[in-house]
Amino acid sequence: TQALLGPADLAGETVLVTAGPTREELDPVRYLSNYSSGKMGYAIAAAARNRGARVILVSGPTCLDAPCGVELHQVVSARQMREAVLAQAASASIIIKAAAVADYRPAQAAAQKIKKTGAEALTLTLEKNPDILAELGRIKEQRILVGFAAETADLLANARKKLTEKGLDMIVANDVSQPGAGFDVDTNIVRLLYPDGRVEELPQMSKDEVAHRLLDRVAGLRKA
Ligand code: CTP
Ligand code: CA
């Protein structure tokens, strides 16, 4: 059956995958979040497991079932995701950050439900969340570190900047404004960027296929 599952080229590896959105609490009944479905990250987790890896999946809230045999750590906020990722990072040989982490959170989560007042406008103050991937880049050691870049403009330039600034081995650049790519669809259209300047353009394919292509490259980097 291994032939059906594909190559067991990740046997002996521990792959840490993050997936889904985060939710940032505003009050007891409301939160800020984004449209991430978690599909890309869950596809990577399942593909890595099928290729023989031990897989740790740190996931924000999604409607997906965890792939069988994967160690699932469920989190809600960006700060919880950071805690879970940093706790697991030391045991990982490969980290793939597919999660759409909220960049900002409400500066204060109100203890009680925020009430409508007479005013026609409400101003929220947000503060920055920690950049988990950048932090991983600073404690990288021998690990392979893969990020995603969700962009709606200047895809390659923005993705290259993230690749360099976060100290990654590869970034998956994702134009989320294209139909058939990005949030909450079953397909994706990505480019893989490397520190040496190479760009590999992949056609539209299922998120499962994208996951396997990405893991082909990761397995190659581990061997190199
Ligand atoms: N990321 C992270 N922690 C954050 C924000 C992002 O770990 N607080 C990770 C994402 O999981 C992704 C990568 O960084 O792998 C890039 O995320 P993206 O939102 O595309 O870029 P940002 O660096 O957040 O910049 P911006 O949103 O301004 O484009
Ligand atoms: Ca962001």
Side-chain angles (χ1 to χ4, degrees):
T1 56
Q2 191 57 50
L4 293 172
L5 294 173
D9 53 359
L10 296 177
E13 305 289 349
T14 297
V15 181
L16 171 57
V17 181
T18 72
T22 66
R23 287 181 185 170
E24 310 301 322
E25 188 179 328
L26 184 53
D27 73 14
V29 299
R30 303 185 180 97
Y31 56 83
L32 300 180
S33 192
N34 59 64
Y35 289 116
S36 172
S37 63
K39 285 176 182 169
M40 191 63 245
Y42 278 59
I44 295 167
R49 174 209 59 193
N50 289 348
R51 294 167 76 138
R54 172 188 172 215
V55 179
I56 304 167
L57 176 60
V58 175
S59 178
T62 72
C63 296
L64 304 174
D65 292 324
C68 206
V70 159
E71 294 168 41
L72 177 68
H73 297 263
Q74 289 179 288
V75 299
V76 177
S77 68
R79 286 186 293 180
Q80 288 170 1
M81 183 170 280
R82 174 182 176 273
E83 289 302 311
V85 166
L86 293 181
Q88 301 301 325
S91 66
S93 53
I94 297 162
I95 302 180
I96 304 175
K97 282 231 65 208
V101 184
D103 292 328
Y104 292 91
R105 64 174 178 272
Q108 278 156 346
Q112 306 299 331
K113 184 184 168 197
I114 298 170
K115 302 299 287 179
K116 271 189 301 207
T117 62
E120 285 305 311
L122 172 68
T123 303
L124 294 177
T125 303
L126 305 180
E127 62 187 31
K128 213 171 211 170
N129 273 325
D131 189 320
I132 305 164
L133 190 53
E135 205 166 329
L136 291 170
R138 292 192 289 270
I139 56 162
K140 187 173 177 303
E141 297 174 344
Q142 302 307 307
R143 281 184 287 278
I144 301 290
L145 201 51
V146 178
F148 275 70
E151 307 294 347
T152 58
D154 299 325
L155 178 70
L156 288 178
N158 284 327
R160 178 155 307 289
K161 191 159 178 277
K162 290 172 191 176
L163 174 75
T164 310
E165 288 179 355
K166 303 192 194 210
L168 310 179
D169 297 289
M170 177 167 96
I171 196 159
V172 184
N174 199 345
D175 180 345
V176 292
S177 66
Q178 265 180 296
F183 292 150
D184 208 25
V185 292
D186 291 319
T187 59
N188 214 347
I189 307 167
V190 303
R191 287 167 215 213
L192 307 179
L193 280 67
Y194 302 90
D196 63 5
R198 270 182 310 131
V199 179
E200 193 182 349
E201 206 165 321
L202 300 184
Q204 178 171 351
M205 50 177 82
S206 72
K207 287 185 173 174
D208 290 332
E209 289 174 294
V210 172
H212 276 292
R213 289 293 199 94
L214 191 158
L215 292 174
D216 289 345
R217 302 301 173 266
V218 167
L221 291 171
R222 280 296 287 169
K223 295 222 166 58

